[in-house]
Amino acid sequence: MRVLLIAAAALIAAPALAQSAPAPTRATLSDAGRAPAAATIIDGANWRCDGVECVATGGANQPAARACRRVVQRFGPVSAFAWKGVELSAEQLAACNA
């Protein structure tokens, strides 16, 4: 009986876990010419770019503003940036690009 309860709980929880996708991490570069041709790892995040649009998976637990500055150091200025679902405001982007 105990095994059946555990199995039923696992089956009920599985769809809920599958539906929760990780929050997006992405950057829009101001200059496509600065986009890397190959995947680039910055602070544990694996960045891949297609033109000016870049997306990442993984990455260190850090504030979005710091992650943005690290990306700008490698890829150049950005016009949009989101780190694990936290979207930077226009003021935060200006500070990141400074």
Side-chain angles (χ1 to χ4, degrees), residues 45-81:
N46 186 6
W47 287 93
R48 295 182 182 277
C49 298
D50 183 11
V52 297
E53 298 300 324
C54 301
V55 295
T57 55
N61 188 14
Q62 61 184 324
R66 181 183 190 285
C68 182
R69 287 191 303 272
R70 301 280 289 148
V71 168
V72 167
Q73 287 174 349
R74 298 283 292 276
F75 300 165
V78 295
S79 59
F81 190 85

Side-chain angles (χ1 to χ4, degrees), residues 3-98:
V3 173
L4 288 175
L5 288 174
I6 292 171
L11 289 173
I12 292 169
L17 292 174
Q19 292 174 358
S20 61
T25 296
R26 59 182 170 67
T28 303
L29 306 180
S30 297
D31 178 8
R34 300 274 312 260
T40 303
I41 296 175
I42 302 173
D43 292 341
N46 186 6
W47 287 93
R48 295 182 182 277
C49 298
D50 183 11
V52 297
E53 298 300 324
C54 301
V55 295
T57 55
N61 188 14
Q62 61 184 324
R66 181 183 190 285
C68 182
R69 287 191 303 272
R70 301 280 289 148
V71 168
V72 167
Q73 287 174 349
R74 298 283 292 276
F75 300 165
V78 295
S79 59
F81 190 85
W83 179 253
K84 298 184 179 186
V86 176
E87 187 85 28
L88 294 187
S89 68
E91 294 82 23
Q92 291 170 316
L93 282 173
C96 174
N97 287 319

